[in-house]
Amino acid sequence: MSLAQWKKKNSTSNIDKLTEELSKLTDKGPRRDDDGFWKPEVDKSGNGSAIIRFLPSPDSDVPFVRIWDHGFQGPGGWFIEKSLTTINQACPISEYNSMLWNSGTEADKTFVRTKTKRRLSFISNIVVIKDPSRPENEGQVFLYKFGKKIFDKINDAAMPEFDDEEKVDAFSLGEGANFRLKIRNVEGYRNYDRSEFDSPSALSEDDSELERIWKSENSLQEFVNESNFKSYEQLKDRLMRVLNMEQKQEPV
């Protein structure tokens, strides 16, 4: 899809489409890395800030993808894999977790909560507006991976709680808003509670600049392409080796 096609298709705010997609998810419960992702830098105290702008997807009506994964260490090594539930397929790790959760013992539930549970993240395109640590990133387009806390900020902006609050389509080129990313170290973890959106404004009035940004965007569909996921049997085998379980004691 070209920028001109996107602008024609989205001549009015895309907020209704965004809120519909966000509702589906909520109802269910600074540098470029080698892989093209931007990550904000923090100081020695674990604090940092930047200003970014979320962008629409160049190849989908949904401007982000949702990724589930697992990351934990067992007696047989590390298990760091994407979950097949991301692409709506049966996943042996999720089935194993369900078995433990339904076992009736608190120890099994604690194991799931603290070790093997799914982790949720989102990926979208962004343009960096201000990066104090790496100003060379400013104006450049990156992939950005973020968690539920920032997703909730996007969701709250699109579906505000009070009637006098303006809805914001965070991913709109014309009616979106800059996002002020504020990172604090709270009890050893990164905290994004103070991050917030500015008032809505056009990303740029210069069509050539918008075209440059549009052409710099990355496809998101590769992240949810089945070919980039291990098979059910591969994940099951890896899980059993990490947990030192015998095949005859199949957990799933």
Side-chain angles (χ1 to χ4, degrees):
M1 185 189 303
S2 68
L3 174 61
Q5 290 172 322
W6 184 91
K7 292 175 73 174
K8 182 178 180 180
K9 185 177 181 181
N10 297 274
S11 56
T12 58
S13 175
N14 205 31
I15 190 69
D16 291 339
K17 293 180 182 178
L18 177 63
T19 53
E20 179 183 356
E21 188 63 28
L22 292 172
S23 294
K24 292 178 185 178
L25 300 182
T26 53
D27 287 347
K28 294 180 180 179
R31 61 182 180 274
R32 183 190 293 272
D33 287 350
D34 292 339
D35 54 7
F37 283 81
W38 174 84
K39 292 183 179 180
E41 292 192 353
V42 295
D43 59 24
K44 294 180 179 179
S45 298
N47 301 321
S49 65
I51 302 175
I52 60 176
R53 179 85 172 224
F54 293 99
L55 298 173
S57 170
D59 52 11
S60 172
D61 287 339
V62 181
F64 56 84
V65 291
R66 181 179 59 164
I67 307 293
W68 292 101
D69 71 357
H70 298 268
F72 58 89
Q73 186 176 23
W78 279 94
F79 186 97
I80 302 176
E81 301 288 351
K82 289 185 290 186
S83 171
L84 284 169
T85 58
T86 298
I87 53 175
N88 299 316
Q89 293 186 12
C91 182
I93 304 91
S94 292
E95 292 175 356
Y96 176 72
N97 284 344
S98 294
M99 184 196 74
L100 290 180
W101 193 262
N102 295 324
S103 70
T105 69
E106 190 58 35
D108 283 346
K109 290 184 178 181
T110 299
F111 184 80
V112 173
R113 280 194 296 260
T114 60
K115 295 280 286 187
T116 60
K117 70 176 181 179
R118 295 188 306 175
R119 303 179 301 189
L120 175 61
S121 61
F122 302 84
I123 298 174
S124 73
N125 282 283
I126 64 163
V127 59
V128 176
I129 306 300
K130 186 175 180 59
D131 187 339
S133 299
R134 292 180 177 263
E136 65 271 19
N137 286 338
E138 294 173 7
Q140 302 303 309
V141 173
F142 298 89
L143 290 165
Y144 180 47
K145 187 174 184 179
F146 54 96
K148 187 176 182 301
K149 176 63 69 172
I150 292 178
F151 174 81
D152 286 344
K153 297 279 186 180
I154 294 171
N155 185 69
D156 290 344
M159 295 181 284
E161 183 177 359
F162 300 101
D163 293 338
D164 60 348
E165 295 178 331
E166 184 176 9
K167 292 183 179 180
V168 178
D169 178 355
F171 300 91
S172 173
L173 295 177
E175 301 176 10
N178 291 345
F179 185 65
R180 294 182 179 271
L181 189 63
K182 300 176 183 179
I183 307 167
R184 296 180 299 141
N185 182 357
V186 178
E187 297 181 351
Y189 295 92
R190 287 194 176 189
N191 182 285
Y192 300 91
D193 287 349
R194 293 187 180 177
S195 300
E196 59 186 351
F197 283 98
D198 287 343
S199 298
S201 64
L203 174 57
S204 175
E205 301 295 340
D206 184 345
D207 282 350
S208 62
E209 174 64 5
L210 292 176
E211 187 73 29
R212 179 192 69 81
I213 291 172
W214 180 265
K215 289 182 177 179
S216 299
E217 288 198 55
N218 306 274
S219 172
L220 301 177
Q221 296 310 300
E222 64 175 300
F223 296 104
V224 290
N225 189 308
E226 184 176 352
S227 64
N228 291 321
F229 288 75
K230 290 184 178 178
S231 70
Y232 182 99
E233 289 301 326
Q234 287 174 314
L235 292 174
K236 180 178 178 180
D237 179 69
R238 179 62 185 160
L239 174 66
M240 299 185 80
R241 285 190 285 119
V242 166
L243 296 180
N244 280 352
M245 302 177 71
E246 299 292 337
Q247 281 290 343
K248 63 181 180 181
Q249 298 174 331
E250 292 182 355
V252 293

